[in-house]
Amino acid sequence: MDQPAFSVKLLGSWADSHTHRVQLALKLKGLEFEYQEEDFINPSPALLLHNPVYKKVPALLHGGRSIVESVVILQYIDETWTDNPIMPADPFERAVTRFWCHFTDDKLAPAVGLVFSSSGEGQKAAVDQVHENLKLLERELKDGAFKGRRFFGGDKIGLLDIVLGCGSYWLAVFEEVMEVKLIDPESFPVFHAWLRDFEEQQEVKETIPAIDRLLEYARGIRQMMLSLSNSSSSSINNAAASSG
Amino acid sequence: MAAAGGIEVKLIGAWPSPFVLRARIALNLKGVEYEFLQEKFEEKSELLLRSNPVYKKIPVLLHHGKPICESMIIVEYVDEAWPAAGRAILPADPYERALHRFWASYVDDKLNPSGAALSKAQTEEAKVEAAGQVIAGLKLLEEAFGRLSKGEGFFGGDDIGYVDIALGCFLGWLKVTEKTSGVKFIDEEKMPLLARWAERFCAHEAVKAVMPEPERLAEFARKRAASAKTPPAN
């Protein structure tokens, strides 16, 4: 496989699903790259330089240029290194792939995020939203655009698998941390089967962090969020406890 | 070749929608003949609901009966389905394509929402804040124009391209908002490149026949506001 004429460097964060998307694509293309870990909260000067508009990971640096926004990066990778394409060739197939990528980032991901950051009635509504969104994907896998396929991309992982798959691991993590049912195999059998198959792929196993690390990370953030929202009452409790 | 008894390309849309305009401009650039199916404003057609069950929104392109949804996805589809027609909407170079896709996403992810915030703003303070956001966004696009156009007249270079379509579709509504708010968004002194580009864009063959006049848009907005006392069926 051809290696890049110029070196490839990825600025990313280890727990960021958009970073994983890019890492996975580079691995699937057999491309060597340098990786620089970025702190989500404190972007480095390099990140500020290469992504001045959004100041976020991931940022791909190649031949003195920077490319940002994960789906833009994935298409850049596919169009620059054309072996093992991750986008289909047919224009209609391409439009369908782009549509569901848009759906993932526009509808599914925010709903999943909301499950994590909310509680009570708000969380219940967010869980319902996730189910509604998964139903739509389940339908497409079972009877629609992706009927009969092993992966969204066909026999091999494609761009939509990468976009959906790198992020779907949060479903299992949030199920455990939040004690909610998100991706029940009885309600979403085809989606569930696709996700298990995706996560078994060698390149995917090398990209997605171990579930223990993700669980610990998620628990930590949830704890922090809860303590921030309880901070006014907790100081009273602490005072009461220390005086007891 | 058009199928007997039907046109192979149809566009479900509505004339005031800037998103629908994007699809029309792309089709015009490629010289593709299509049937325009105007949606009623009060209720969504069966065809729309069937063709875009996920979002139930216009525009939807139907090509041989197969639906393509989301305006910029439609634009890219038109570019790829008729590669030999007209001129390429996206450039050939992967990095240039990435830049165009980035800035088109910026328009939809940042600029358009700040415009929406402006139209919803109730207090003077909120309006000023929202207007500031829109102008800040346009300033970034002024800089981007310098880089993308390479000294030519459009983001796409010597002719309309992907980012031109993404941004230019809003120019009609922008003029309406400038009149009602009294704020000049694309100021000739502060954003000379965008100001000249805006005129060029609106005068382009592929645009001028389909871009509604600001007066007509303003009238539509007034009627909408008046009937908003009874919310439309969505």
Side-chain angles (χ1 to χ4, degrees), chain A residues 6-23:
Chain A
F6 302 103
S7 65
V8 177
K9 184 169 177 177
L10 174 64
L11 308 181
S13 295
W14 75 269
D16 173 44
S17 58
H18 290 203
T19 297
H20 300 152
R21 290 172 178 179
V22 181
Q23 286 171 309

Side-chain angles (χ1 to χ4, degrees), chain B residues 190-228:
Chain B
K190 299 191 181 131
M191 297 181 210
L193 298 174
L194 280 188
R196 289 197 289 269
W197 163 80
E199 275 174 36
R200 230 175 272 129
F201 181 87
C202 294
H204 193 285
E205 279 304 310
V207 176
K208 64 184 186 204
V210 286
M211 181 174 253
E213 290 296 312
E215 293 76 32
R216 212 178 151 211
L217 290 172
E219 179 62 35
F220 174 79
R222 272 193 293 274
K223 282 198 182 132
R224 214 69 212 275
S227 68

Side-chain angles (χ1 to χ4, degrees), chain A residues 128-162:
Chain A
D128 289 341
Q129 259 309 308
V130 172
H131 291 162
E132 284 309 308
N133 293 331
L134 288 178
K135 267 189 203 143
L136 291 169
L137 283 162
E138 180 75 13
R139 192 172 71 189
E140 289 305 315
L141 279 165
K142 200 156 152 243
D143 295 314
F146 309 110
K147 184 177 176 177
R149 296 190 196 179
R150 183 181 176 198
F151 298 111
F152 290 94
D155 296 327
K156 292 202 288 186
I157 284 176
L159 192 139
L160 180 54
D161 298 275
I162 297 171

Side-chain angles (χ1 to χ4, degrees), chain A residues 77-106:
Chain A
I77 291 170
D78 201 39
E79 291 167 3
T80 303
W81 295 283
T82 52
D83 284 344
N84 301 325
I86 56 176
M87 277 290 272
D90 173 69
F92 181 70
E93 292 286 323
R94 291 161 74 86
V96 170
T97 300
R98 287 176 181 134
F99 176 83
W100 289 103
C101 284
H102 170 76
F103 171 83
T104 299
D105 285 344
D106 180 57

Side-chain angles (χ1 to χ4, degrees), chain A residues 53-54 65-69 72 75-76 79-80 91-92 94-95 98-100 102-103 106-107 136 139, chain B residues 52-55 66-70 73 76-77 80-81 94-95 97-98 101-103 106 109-110 140:
Chain A
V53 175
Y54 292 109
R65 297 148 153 187
S66 22
I67 303 99
V68 301
E69 293 294 281
V72 176
Q75 292 182 97
Y76 173 81
E79 291 167 3
T80 303
F92 181 70
R94 291 161 74 86
R98 287 176 181 134
F99 176 83
W100 289 103
H102 170 76
F103 171 83
D106 180 57
K107 284 226 172 285
L136 291 169
R139 192 172 71 189
Chain B
N52 191 357
V54 175
Y55 287 103
K66 294 199 284 193
I68 300 102
C69 308
E70 290 301 304
I73 294 177
E76 206 161 349
Y77 175 80
E80 293 175 348
Y95 179 63
R97 292 163 75 87
R101 285 178 177 136
F102 174 84
W103 285 109
Y106 180 82
D109 294 342
K110 287 273 173 239
L140 284 182

Side-chain angles (χ1 to χ4, degrees), chain B:
Chain B
M1 200 91 24
I7 298 180
E8 66 185 34
V9 185
K10 301 183 205 228
L11 181 69
I12 310 174
W15 65 266
S17 162
F19 302 102
V20 171
L21 188 57
R22 287 172 170 175
R24 301 190 82 169
I25 293 169
L27 289 163
N28 287 352
L29 283 169
K30 293 288 189 175
V32 173
E33 278 185 31
Y34 63 97
E35 188 185 349
F36 186 65
L37 302 172
Q38 166 75 43
E39 280 285 296
K40 292 204 192 93
F41 298 114
E42 313 80 48
E43 62 179 296
K44 300 184 188 206
S45 69
E46 259 309 302
L47 183 63
L48 174 61
L49 296 175
R50 218 171 45 234
S51 308
N52 191 357
V54 175
Y55 287 103
K56 307 176 175 52
K57 282 180 7 184
I58 50 172
V60 178
L61 185 75
L62 293 164
H63 190 197
H64 300 297
K66 294 199 284 193
I68 300 102
C69 308
E70 290 301 304
S71 57
M72 291 319 288
I73 294 177
I74 293 173
V75 171
E76 206 161 349
Y77 175 80
V78 169
D79 200 28
E80 293 175 348
W82 289 277
R87 190 183 157 281
I89 295 174
L90 269 170
D93 174 70
Y95 179 63
E96 299 291 318
R97 292 163 75 87
L99 286 178
H100 274 258
R101 285 178 177 136
F102 174 84
W103 285 109
S105 292
Y106 180 82
V107 170
D108 279 343
D109 294 342
K110 287 273 173 239
L111 192 62
N112 188 33
S114 55
L118 175 61
S119 58
K120 290 197 182 92
Q122 299 291 322
T123 66
E124 199 53 43
E125 222 181 301
K127 282 182 192 161
V128 168
E129 159 79 31
Q133 293 280 355
V134 173
I135 288 171
L138 287 169
K139 280 211 180 107
L140 284 182
L141 284 153
E142 169 86 3
E143 279 169 37
F145 185 89
R147 266 180 280 124
L148 264 63
S149 65
K150 303 192 207 303
E152 302 270 20
F154 298 97
F155 285 93
D158 60 359
D159 204 349
I160 282 180
Y162 196 68
V163 178
D164 299 278
I165 295 173
L167 182 61
C169 67
F170 294 110
L171 288 171
W173 279 111
L174 196 69
K175 285 182 190 146
V176 175
T177 311
E178 282 180 339
K179 265 215 168 107
T180 53
S181 67
V183 177
K184 193 92 173 89
F185 289 100
I186 303 185
D187 183 299
E188 269 144 37
E189 274 167 38
K190 299 191 181 131
M191 297 181 210
L193 298 174
L194 280 188
R196 289 197 289 269
W197 163 80
E199 275 174 36
R200 230 175 272 129
F201 181 87
C202 294
H204 193 285
E205 279 304 310
V207 176
K208 64 184 186 204
V210 286
M211 181 174 253
E213 290 296 312
E215 293 76 32
R216 212 178 151 211
L217 290 172
E219 179 62 35
F220 174 79
R222 272 193 293 274
K223 282 198 182 132
R224 214 69 212 275
S227 68
K229 282 158 198 155
T230 43
N234 241 8

Side-chain angles (χ1 to χ4, degrees), chain A residues 97-208:
Chain A
T97 300
R98 287 176 181 134
F99 176 83
W100 289 103
C101 284
H102 170 76
F103 171 83
T104 299
D105 285 344
D106 180 57
K107 284 226 172 285
L108 180 61
V112 175
L114 201 54
V115 169
F116 185 68
S117 62
S118 58
S119 39
E121 280 307 306
Q123 186 178 77
K124 194 180 172 303
V127 170
D128 289 341
Q129 259 309 308
V130 172
H131 291 162
E132 284 309 308
N133 293 331
L134 288 178
K135 267 189 203 143
L136 291 169
L137 283 162
E138 180 75 13
R139 192 172 71 189
E140 289 305 315
L141 279 165
K142 200 156 152 243
D143 295 314
F146 309 110
K147 184 177 176 177
R149 296 190 196 179
R150 183 181 176 198
F151 298 111
F152 290 94
D155 296 327
K156 292 202 288 186
I157 284 176
L159 192 139
L160 180 54
D161 298 275
I162 297 171
V163 167
L164 250 180
C166 293
S168 286
Y169 44 75
W170 289 122
L171 291 165
V173 172
F174 292 173
E175 274 193 334
E176 192 161 325
V177 174
M178 314 301 296
E179 291 171 353
V180 289
K181 264 253 160 270
L182 288 175
I183 182 181
D184 157 31
E186 270 156 42
S187 308
F188 312 109
V190 192
F191 185 89
H192 196 266
W194 161 78
L195 187 57
R196 290 293 88 86
D197 200 353
F198 173 82
E199 287 172 350
E200 277 306 301
Q201 301 308 301
Q202 188 54 38
E203 294 90 349
V204 177
K205 286 207 272 210
E206 287 169 12
T207 302
I208 296 175

